[in-house]
Amino acid sequence: MTKSATAAARRPSPLAKLLNTLPPGTQLVVGGTVVLGAASYIHLMAAGHGLATDDMASVSVLWTILMSVGLGLFFPVEQELTRLVAAQRVAEQGVSGLVRRTLMLTAGLLAVLAAGLAAAARPLADTFFNGRLDMVAALGLAFAAMAAGNVTRGVLAGLGRFGPYGMQLGIDGGLRIALAVAFALAGVRSPLAYALILTAAPLVSVLLTLRPVLGGIERGTAPAWRVLVAGLVPLVCSTLLSQVVVNAAVVSTKLLAPADGALVAGLLNAIVLARVPLFVFGSLQASLLSGLSTAAAAGDRGAFSKLLARTCLVVTALGALGGVPATFLGPWLIRVLFGAQDVLGRADFFWMSAGTLCYMLAMVLGQALMVLHRHGIQLLCWVLATLVLLGVTLLPGEVATRVCLAYTAGSLTAALAMASALWLTFLRARPDSGNTIAGDPRRTTLVDSA
């Protein structure tokens, strides 16, 4: 072998270079995220081919509400738990008290959500599920399963145990695929059956990965309630609004064109397709937050800035790689893969793909603001984004065009607002001393006495 050939063999591939820019531990989560992402497509594909149009519209709305409200309420729990566990790990403190109080807060959120579903069951069933109360019950069960997964993954990510984290995602996705395919092959025509997959699969995955979670919980002091609530409340509000931005298209269409079930189902299929980069981004998110939290707790300003910049570059590449094929092939793919009707064009896919890129950048910048304890600024950015989304949605014109353009406009608003906030409050500021993170040193003290 010549020297040039040897050098070429040793030269890392473009994929290897890309993976080397990601936060530590990301590669361990990629496999599980890919499986779970594929499961979303296969689940919806099976439902789309196996159910009548109106029943598929019901499953589409349930999936969208779960991804909006469920993630809005419980993903912030995972994020805060990851941040606080990582900080206590740097301080060599146990996390049992922190986990116990987080579980209590999560149970309280679930109770409030269950009470709301019970009180509004009939209007919800009539508006979104063709009068079926059992679909409302299935939604409540799916919320509980999602909460269990987010809490356990928050502990695992904070401890840096990304192997079990990825395994939980992989088991969840594998079960969703197996159940959805089995139902399709068996000729199941019940929307409830496909809805219950969203409860069974995540619960089993939590049970099978519970041992490493419990093994990492060492005895430690419980944080003050005000510490948890002060961070969690604005973060829940921010995440709820972010989920409104990313998932509003389907629900908005259901409200603006309630008789057009084909458009509702087609929009969900198109959104899932255009959001392929978001599923890949999921493998980035847990390790990104853990890495940023660790750098912040250690006061390493340089590592924090470098990780943030690299992640934004990777996200931009992901958005471009996913957006171009989605724009040109999307209308054909949703007909072939999901059995959707011809209701969307390339312009709709372009706006959804552009919105996905802006949304991912906003999520990255929002995590940086959260780690820097700028929860209020993050919330304000999503409030602005939601107002822009509502304004564009209410403009005259075709429903599909409005809701897709609203997604892009809202996501772009959030990304620009957060970038401006970071530049003004952190990146532009000179460090107080050396290479540490500027600001009040007391801000890195995340856990107070009970």
Side-chain angles (χ1 to χ4, degrees):
M1 182 179 293
T2 64
K3 292 183 178 180
S4 60
T6 302
R10 292 177 179 175
R11 190 180 301 122
S13 65
L15 178 60
K17 290 180 180 179
L18 179 65
L19 291 175
N20 287 335
T21 67
L22 300 178
T26 298
Q27 297 178 38
L28 298 175
V29 187
V30 167
T33 304
V34 168
V35 174
L36 185 59
S40 297
Y41 293 93
I42 295 173
H43 181 196
L44 294 173
M45 286 166 57
H49 286 285
L51 298 176
T53 300
D54 287 343
D55 288 337
M56 179 57 194
S58 294
V59 173
S60 299
V61 173
L62 185 145
W63 191 91
T64 302
I65 294 175
L66 178 65
M67 293 300 109
S68 302
V69 179
L71 282 179
L73 288 175
F74 303 118
F75 185 63
V77 174
E78 177 180 333
Q79 289 183 305
E80 275 293 279
L81 199 51
T82 297
R83 181 177 70 85
L84 294 173
V85 169
Q88 290 192 220
R89 183 162 57 96
V90 171
E92 298 183 350
Q93 298 176 348
V95 298
S96 62
L98 169 62
V99 174
R100 182 175 63 253
R101 290 200 168 179
T102 303
L103 283 171
M104 295 172 66
L105 278 175
T106 306
L109 285 174
L110 269 176
V112 171
L113 188 56
L117 285 176
R122 175 48 63 187
L124 286 172
D126 292 339
T127 303
F128 296 116
F129 304 120
N130 300 319
R132 295 191 57 152
L133 289 171
D134 55 358
M135 292 291 285
V136 179
L139 178 61
L141 292 174
F143 281 138
M146 177 176 282
N150 283 131
V151 170
T152 53
R153 289 197 296 272
V155 175
L156 291 171
L159 294 172
R161 297 187 174 186
F162 295 107
Y165 187 108
M167 184 181 298
Q168 184 178 126
L169 296 177
I171 293 171
D172 185 357
L175 286 174
R176 293 190 195 198
I177 292 172
L179 290 171
V181 171
F183 289 168
L185 293 176
V188 174
R189 298 291 181 264
S190 168
L192 179 63
Y194 287 96
L196 289 175
I197 290 175
L198 298 172
T199 297
L203 282 182
V204 172
S205 70
V206 167
L207 291 175
L208 293 179
T209 55
L210 195 57
R211 184 174 181 179
V213 176
L214 298 177
I217 300 177
E218 298 180 354
R219 185 175 179 83
T221 305
W225 284 109
R226 62 179 176 82
V227 174
L228 288 176
V229 173
L232 194 57
V233 170
L235 185 57
V236 166
C237 296
S238 297
T239 309
L240 278 172
L241 292 177
S242 75
Q243 293 303 310
V244 168
V245 171
V246 77
N247 290 305
V250 173
V251 176
S252 296
T253 303
K254 182 68 174 178
L255 295 174
L256 294 171
D260 199 343
L263 181 58
V264 173
L267 266 172
L268 175 64
N269 300 148
I271 289 171
V272 170
L273 188 64
R275 283 164 53 179
V276 168
L278 265 179
F279 291 110
V280 181
F281 174 67
S283 64
L284 196 73
Q285 212 163 359
S287 50
L288 168 66
L289 181 56
S290 181
L292 290 175
S293 298
T294 300
D300 192 341
R301 180 188 180 92
F304 185 95
S305 301
K306 188 175 182 179
L307 178 57
L308 181 60
R310 285 183 170 181
T311 305
C312 287
L313 287 175
V314 172
V315 162
T316 302
L318 285 175
L321 289 172
V324 172
T327 298
F328 288 99
L329 300 177
W332 173 74
L333 284 173
I334 64 169
R335 292 195 301 270
V336 173
L337 297 179
F338 302 101
Q341 298 182 25
D342 190 11
V343 291
L344 298 171
R346 288 178 177 175
D348 300 314
F349 277 90
F350 170 77
W351 289 120
M352 283 188 283
S353 298
T356 295
L357 170 57
C358 295
Y359 180 81
M360 289 191 297
L361 288 171
M363 293 297 289
V364 172
L365 299 171
Q367 289 199 347
L369 287 171
M370 181 186 70
V371 169
L372 295 173
H373 305 269
R374 305 297 196 269
H375 296 72
I377 295 177
Q378 183 188 18
L379 175 58
L380 177 60
C381 293
W382 283 117
V383 169
L384 292 174
T386 304
L387 291 175
V388 170
L389 176 133
L390 291 174
V392 175
T393 301
L394 295 175
L395 291 174
E398 293 185 3
V399 172
T401 302
R402 281 188 281 160
V403 297
C404 294
L405 186 58
Y407 171 36
T408 303
S411 298
L412 178 61
T413 299
L416 291 177
M418 290 182 191
S420 300
L422 274 173
W423 176 255
L424 292 172
T425 63
F426 172 68
L427 297 176
R428 191 182 68 172
R430 295 178 61 87
D432 289 340
S433 61
N435 197 38
T436 59
I437 293 177
D440 186 350
R442 290 174 297 176
R443 288 187 178 273
T444 59
T445 305
L446 303 180
V447 181
D448 300 330
S449 58

